[in-house]
Amino acid sequence: QVQVVESGGGLVQPGGSLRLSCAASGFTSDHYAIGWFRQSPGKGREGVLCLTARNYQTYLADSARGRFTISRDSAENAVYLQMNSLKPEDTAVYYCARAAGIECSSDTASYVTWGQGTQVTVAS
């Protein structure tokens, strides 16, 4: 069973922080690029941040630069998205996804396994 499962979402005030987790099963996560995407009703799905199999961080959205970071814990077979200085416009369902290969892409079609999503709401 190849899957990724997100967790860690919730309600946070503007300026706050959250750490999202992406737990992988059925494959070794550091053999593939892992990306984080988000979905808002009025925008559609967009890429946020991605980590290559060689642990190079790739920003998929300019709005994430300077605020979000991505990391991998190979022993736990997990990838994390650390989100700081959150803004209301960051409100979305966040998904992690496994790419077909080792490199990152902003194209959702390059990712072959998707999680169920975790809701992040940034509001006062």
Side-chain angles (χ1 to χ4, degrees):
Q1 184 77 13
V2 176
Q3 63 180 27
V4 290
V5 178
E6 306 94 336
S7 62
L11 175 64
V12 63
Q13 293 187 350
S17 298
L18 285 173
R19 190 179 77 151
L20 306 183
S21 298
C22 175
S25 62
F27 69 98
T28 302
S29 65
D30 62 5
H31 289 358
Y32 303 92
I34 303 292
W36 284 95
F37 294 77
R38 61 189 178 190
Q39 178 88 42
S40 299
K43 292 185 62 178
R45 190 166 299 187
E46 66 169 348
V48 180
L49 199 54
C50 181
L51 191 67
T52 75
R54 293 181 178 269
N55 280 334
Y56 292 115
Q57 182 174 256
T58 301
Y59 286 98
L60 304 180
D62 287 340
S63 62
R65 294 181 184 271
R67 300 187 299 128
F68 296 1
T69 56
I70 190 169
S71 61
R72 169 182 280 116
D73 186 338
S74 294
E76 297 294 330
N77 206 25
V79 172
Y80 304 96
L81 179 65
Q82 178 67 46
M83 304 188 294
N84 299 323
S85 302
L86 283 162
K87 304 174 181 179
E89 52 263 43
D90 295 317
T91 296
V93 177
Y94 282 72
Y95 300 87
C96 68
R98 195 207 84 178
I102 65 172
E103 302 297 339
C104 291
S105 173
S106 61
D107 186 354
T108 59
S110 297
Y111 299 84
V112 296
T113 303
W114 292 81
Q116 83 292 337
T118 186
Q119 177 71 47
V120 173
T121 302
V122 184
S124 299

